[in-house]
Amino acid sequence: MNAIFYYHRYMGFAENLRNELDYQDIEIKELSQKTGISKNTLDKYLSGRKSQPGVENAVKIAQALGVSVEYLVCNPSNSKSEVLTLNKEQQNILKQYNALDNFNKQTIQDLLKSLSLRQK
């Protein structure tokens, strides 16, 4: 049997970007280096002075963070709960992860980040 989890999308590009940077513990300077987008421009996106990037920059940012463009640019009118269904293997992985202490959780996150970068 599959488990079903509900999660909420964030409200807009600035919030989504900020939350993803915080979640992945990435500094704006590092994102700038990964994307080739100036730190000043990224600061404008985060502050809301520049509401959303053009398609090219949105794709660069999404690729650097390993998320979809849609996730980053969704707007409040699209904000809704989404359903995520996990199979048995995914449920088992999640249970094992949740049983770890914070140090080991961070180790797993670092490993996954490293593996995903290696696949690019």
Side-chain angles (χ1 to χ4, degrees):
M1 180 171 187
N2 291 336
I4 298 176
F5 295 89
Y6 292 92
Y7 65 95
H8 295 280
R9 287 188 173 204
Y10 300 110
M11 297 302 285
F13 183 81
E15 292 107 336
N16 291 346
L17 181 56
R18 170 56 57 209
N19 284 325
E20 196 59 34
L21 290 171
D22 289 346
Y23 176 75
Q24 294 189 28
D25 195 27
I26 295 175
E27 299 292 325
I28 297 170
K29 181 180 177 182
E30 182 181 348
L31 183 61
S32 175
Q33 292 169 344
K34 287 182 176 185
T35 61
I37 301 169
S38 75
K39 184 181 175 305
N40 186 38
T41 298
L42 292 171
D43 283 333
K44 287 179 183 177
Y45 295 149
L46 287 167
S47 71
R49 288 180 282 156
K50 198 171 192 176
S51 62
Q52 291 187 357
V55 174
E56 186 177 326
N57 281 354
V59 169
K60 287 179 183 179
I61 293 167
Q63 287 176 337
L65 295 174
V67 299
S68 70
V69 173
E70 180 186 20
Y71 167 81
L72 289 174
V73 299
C74 71
N75 61 43
S77 64
N78 290 335
S79 178
K80 60 185 175 196
S81 291
E82 302 248 343
V83 177
L84 174 64
T85 305
L86 301 179
N87 63 34
K88 278 286 194 193
E89 179 185 17
Q90 293 165 328
Q91 290 176 46
N92 188 35
I93 291 168
L94 184 59
K95 284 178 187 175
Q96 290 176 27
Y97 174 82
N98 285 335
L100 298 173
D101 62 22
N102 287 339
F103 176 80
N104 285 319
K105 284 180 181 177
Q106 185 61 52
T107 301
I108 295 296
Q109 291 171 19
D110 292 344
L111 175 62
L112 289 171
K113 188 175 182 181
S114 175
L115 290 171
S116 68
L117 290 173
R118 197 166 48 161
Q119 286 186 354
K120 292 182 180 181

